Amino acid sequence: MRDLTLAMRHRSDVLTTVFFFIIVVSLFPLGVGPEAQLLKEMAAGVVWVAALLASMLSLTRLFADDYHDGTLEQLLLVPQPLSLIVLGKVLAHWIISGLPLVLMSPLLGLQFGLEGDALLMLMLTLLIGTPVLSLLGAIGAALTLGLRGGGVLVSLLVLPLYIPVLIFGAGAVTANAMGMGAEGHLSLMGAILLLALVLAPWASAAALRISVE
Amino acid sequence: MENGLLEVRALACVRGDRQLFSDLSFSLQAGALLHVHGPNGSGKTTLLRAIAGLVLQERGEILWNGTSSGKEKDAFNRELLYLGHHYGLKLELTGYENLKVFANLSGAEISEHEVEAALRRFGLAHCVELPVKVLSQGQKRRVALARLLLQSSKLWILDEPFVALDAAAVELLLEVIKTHVANGGMVILTTHQAVAVEVGSVQHLHLGQ
């Protein structure tokens, strides 16, 4: 879709998100020191918080560019449901900012001394969780469109909504590491994803209509 | 439905705390042009955006072929082409790609050849391959206007379409508008330029009096 072509022409933006993620995650082992056991326990939480912040970073751009050059107006006037278009944009956002994080996560997990099984679980939770981040973030981005200092406001609006994903995402990895099985966490995350998939585009579309006015 | 008819009934719009206009009624038939006049800040753009459905009106109704345009949004949007102050162009894409995106979104099947022909008609043959960001204001406007030739929308809403255009392009745009009206299309436009818009039946609407 169009957003992907655009992203390719703005390559530096994509890389910023990914590098931000890598650097934040890498800072922790350096700061905490080389205690293998401690690092292993922290790993999931650190990677997840970094993923939250990284996806936050690119959120404000989701609709802002379209808003400023008038494309958003045109998108509102297209004879197709706006929520579908929003879904398309969110998908593009996820491919640009979420998917690279998922792919990088095993590498970063290694820094924390995670092993094969835990790495896989970390990747899996991010795979389910990052689309939720993009979907929820879209609501915040749509609501704060055109406001001054919208970036800070988006964080305030959206970060609390991210909390459940964070708890279950990081929880799944920890539970798995302690041998308790992570099915419960994963199915809850799946449920959150489905719920967000249905409701978030619709809510964002409504918010966009208000913002453009 | 073939016979396009736009009807505005007792429309009132509020911007901030200010009442821009109220109790505004008019109707526009197929093959007619509505020229909206008024000083700056009299609500021309708001009126145009309200008709397009981008701004919610305070009171009143906008009917397209007898049904409310807000309720039958998809059907109305298929017949509508709105060009506002912003060009709605992606600066990183070429003119050709921009037009292609719009065509895809509106569900029209348009060949490469048609897009190039439209750009050539607006004198942009040499910048088909250039990203829009390196074009001048007038050229950007021309790219946006090329959409008029590509989409078979019935109702054109043009907010200040002559801005930044040179004399030749103004002539060309007038010609395009005339053809559209002659073919049973409808045009609503605003302009501050002294452009003689003379086609079939021109209606005038004066705001801010």
Side-chain angles (χ1 to χ4, degrees):
Chain A
M1 216 184 119
R2 185 199 59 146
D3 273 38
L4 288 180
T5 337
L6 271 177
M8 288 320 287
R9 300 209 181 165
H10 268 302
R11 216 161 295 151
S12 59
D13 287 349
V14 182
L15 292 180
T16 321
T17 314
V18 179
F19 276 108
F20 178 83
F21 179 61
I22 297 173
I23 289 172
V24 170
V25 175
S26 307
L27 284 178
F28 274 87
L30 296 176
V32 175
E35 286 172 57
Q37 193 51 40
L38 187 63
L39 281 179
K40 214 180 267 188
E41 279 167 26
M42 284 192 347
V46 170
V47 172
W48 258 96
V49 170
L52 287 193
L53 295 177
S55 91
M56 195 90 250
L57 204 62
S58 54
L59 260 186
T60 36
R61 302 274 320 273
L62 184 53
F63 298 114
D65 289 350
D66 283 358
Y67 177 68
H68 287 300
D69 63 19
T71 328
L72 195 60
E73 285 177 357
Q74 298 295 343
L75 290 179
L76 292 184
L77 297 177
V78 157
Q80 281 162 26
L82 183 59
S83 45
L84 210 65
I85 293 173
V86 171
L87 193 62
K89 284 191 74 73
V90 171
L91 189 69
H93 176 260
W94 178 70
I95 293 175
I96 294 160
S97 73
L99 200 57
L101 303 191
V102 177
L103 299 178
M104 290 304 294
S105 59
L107 214 61
L108 295 170
L110 278 177
Q111 290 186 334
F112 290 85
L114 291 182
E115 276 126 37
D117 200 22
L119 283 179
L120 217 61
M121 182 54 72
L122 180 64
M123 213 169 150
L124 187 63
T125 58
L126 280 172
L127 189 64
I128 306 176
T130 42
V132 180
L133 303 185
S134 294
L135 284 164
L136 290 178
I139 305 179
L143 275 173
T144 55
L145 201 60
L147 298 181
R148 204 173 297 198
V152 184
L153 204 54
V154 171
S155 324
L156 289 179
L157 276 173
V158 170
L159 280 178
L161 295 175
Y162 281 177
I163 292 174
V165 192
L166 172 67
I167 292 175
F168 292 119
V173 182
T174 321
N176 185 56
M178 285 162 38
M180 293 197 302
E183 286 86 4
H185 291 276
L186 286 180
S187 42
L188 270 170
M189 285 186 73
I192 297 177
L193 173 61
L194 290 180
L195 202 66
L197 208 55
V198 175
L199 293 180
W202 173 77
S204 318
L208 278 182
R209 283 196 194 285
I210 298 169
S211 294
V212 165
E213 194 171 309
Chain B
M1 261 177 276
E2 269 307 297
N3 57 331
L5 175 69
L6 179 78
E7 217 182 331
V8 171
R9 280 191 199 154
L11 192 70
C13 276
V14 175
R15 219 65 187 124
D17 288 335
R18 218 160 63 83
Q19 176 103 29
L20 284 172
F21 47 80
S22 63
D23 214 16
L24 185 71
S25 303
F26 63 85
S27 69
L28 195 64
Q29 313 263 333
L33 181 144
L34 177 72
H35 189 164
V36 183
H37 302 267
N40 294 140
S42 60
K44 297 187 297 298
T45 296
T46 306
L47 172 64
L48 263 46
R49 289 173 66 91
I51 296 172
L54 290 171
V55 173
L56 270 185
Q57 66 265 35
E58 187 76 3
R59 272 186 309 280
E61 276 184 305
I62 296 158
L63 302 174
W64 175 254
N65 288 333
T67 45
S68 164
S69 66
K71 274 183 201 134
E72 298 281 332
K73 219 156 181 44
D74 283 2
F76 180 60
N77 284 348
R78 210 167 291 131
E79 298 290 346
L80 173 76
L81 204 165
Y82 169 85
L83 288 183
H85 287 282
H86 298 289
Y87 302 116
L89 300 174
K90 279 287 159 207
L91 297 183
E92 291 80 11
L93 300 181
T94 66
Y96 172 78
E97 287 167 325
N98 265 301
L99 292 176
K100 199 80 186 163
V101 167
F102 282 122
N104 288 343
L105 281 172
S106 66
E109 284 293 324
I110 286 173
S111 69
E112 212 165 299
H113 185 71
E114 284 173 286
V115 176
E116 272 169 26
L119 283 171
R120 207 172 307 126
R121 177 106 192 265
F122 272 98
L124 294 165
H126 55 289
C127 20
V128 173
E129 295 296 322
L130 290 177
V132 171
K133 67 179 159 196
V134 303
L135 300 183
S136 77
Q137 281 298 319
Q139 285 173 318
K140 282 178 199 159
R141 174 68 76 175
R142 285 167 184 235
V143 173
L145 287 169
R147 283 179 59 201
L148 296 176
L149 298 175
L150 290 174
Q151 289 173 20
S152 53
S153 311
K154 192 135 200 164
L155 174 64
W156 292 358
I157 299 185
L158 310 174
D159 197 353
E160 298 281 356
F162 301 107
V163 167
L165 292 182
D166 58 28
V170 169
E171 277 305 310
L172 179 64
L173 178 56
L174 277 176
E175 204 183 297
V176 170
I177 290 177
K178 272 178 199 164
T179 321
H180 179 61
V181 172
N183 291 336
M186 302 149 83
V187 179
I188 303 179
L189 63 81
T190 66
T191 179
H192 285 294
Q193 264 108 327
V195 179
V197 192
E198 280 166 19
V199 283
S201 72
V202 183
Q203 301 175 30
H204 293 274
L205 180 71
H206 293 269
L207 290 177
Q209 285 175 347

